[in-house]
Coordinates of all heavy atoms in Angstrom, one line a residue:
L22 N -5.5 1.4 8.5 CA -4.9 0.6 7.5 C -5.6 -0.7 7.2 O -5.8 -1.1 6.1 CB -3.4 0.3 7.8 CG -2.6 -0.6 6.9 CD1 -2.3 0.2 5.6 CD2 -1.3 -1.0 7.6
L23 N -6.0 -1.4 8.3 CA -6.6 -2.7 8.2 C -8.0 -2.6 7.3 O -8.3 -3.4 6.5 CB -6.9 -3.4 9.5 CG -5.6 -3.8 10.1 CD1 -6.0 -4.4 11.5 CD2 -4.6 -4.7 9.4
K24 N -8.7 -1.4 7.6 CA -10.0 -1.2 6.9 C -9.7 -0.9 5.4 O -10.4 -1.4 4.6 CB -10.7 -0.1 7.6 CG -11.4 -0.5 8.8 CD -12.3 0.5 9.4 CE -11.8 1.8 9.5 NZ -12.7 2.8 10.1
A25 N -8.6 0.1 5.1 CA -8.3 0.4 3.9 C -7.9 -0.7 2.9 O -8.2 -0.7 1.7 CB -7.1 1.6 3.9
C26 N -7.3 -1.7 3.6 CA -6.8 -2.9 2.7 C -7.9 -3.9 2.8 O -7.6 -5.2 2.3 CB -5.5 -3.5 3.4 SG -4.2 -2.2 3.1
D27 N -9.0 -3.8 3.4 CA -10.2 -4.7 3.3 C -9.9 -6.0 4.0 O -10.4 -7.1 3.8 CB -10.7 -5.1 1.8 CG -11.2 -4.0 1.1 OD1 -12.1 -3.2 1.9 OD2 -11.1 -3.8 -0.1
I28 N -8.8 -6.0 5.0 CA -8.6 -7.0 6.0 C -9.8 -7.2 6.9 O -10.2 -8.3 7.3 CB -7.3 -6.7 6.8 CG1 -6.2 -6.5 5.8 CG2 -7.1 -7.9 7.7 CD1 -5.7 -7.6 5.0
V29 N -10.5 -6.2 7.4 CA -11.6 -6.1 8.2 C -12.7 -5.3 7.5 O -12.4 -4.4 6.7 CB -11.2 -5.6 9.6 CG1 -10.2 -6.4 10.3 CG2 -10.8 -4.2 9.5
G30 N -13.9 -5.4 8.1 CA -15.0 -4.8 7.5 C -15.4 -3.6 8.3 O -16.1 -2.7 7.8
H34 N -14.2 -4.6 14.2 CA -13.5 -5.8 13.9 C -11.9 -5.7 14.0 O -11.2 -6.4 14.6 CB -13.8 -6.4 12.5 CG -13.4 -7.6 12.2 ND1 -13.1 -8.1 11.0 CD2 -12.9 -8.7 13.1 CE1 -12.5 -9.4 11.1 NE2 -12.5 -9.8 12.3
I38 N -9.3 -7.7 16.6 CA -8.2 -8.6 16.1 C -6.8 -8.0 16.7 O -5.9 -8.7 17.0 CB -8.1 -9.0 14.7 CG1 -7.9 -7.7 13.8 CG2 -9.2 -9.7 14.2 CD1 -7.5 -8.0 12.3
V66 N -1.3 -9.8 9.3 CA -2.4 -10.3 9.9 C -2.7 -11.7 9.3 O -3.1 -11.7 8.1 CB -3.6 -9.4 9.7 CG1 -4.9 -9.8 10.4 CG2 -3.3 -8.0 10.0
Y69 N -2.1 -12.6 5.5 CA -1.9 -11.3 4.9 C -0.7 -10.5 5.3 O -0.3 -10.5 6.4 CB -3.2 -10.3 5.1 CG -4.5 -10.8 4.6 CD1 -5.3 -11.5 5.4 CD2 -4.8 -10.6 3.2 CE1 -6.5 -11.9 4.9 CE2 -5.9 -11.1 2.7 CZ -6.9 -11.7 3.6 OH -8.1 -12.1 3.1
E70 N 0.0 -10.0 4.3 CA 1.1 -9.2 4.6 C 1.0 -7.7 3.8 O 0.9 -7.8 2.7 CB 2.5 -9.8 4.3 CG 3.7 -9.0 4.5 CD 5.1 -9.8 4.3 OE1 5.4 -9.8 3.1 OE2 5.5 -10.4 5.2
I71 N 1.1 -6.7 4.6 CA 0.8 -5.5 3.9 C 2.4 -4.8 4.1 O 2.8 -4.6 5.2 CB -0.1 -4.6 4.7 CG1 -1.5 -5.3 4.6 CG2 -0.3 -3.2 4.0 CD1 -2.4 -4.8 5.7

Side-chain angles (χ1 to χ4, degrees):
L22 175 71
L23 297 180
K24 288 192 307 185
C26 291
D27 291 326
I28 304 291
V29 297
H34 186 209
I38 67 170
V66 183
Y69 295 98
E70 180 176 83
I71 305 162

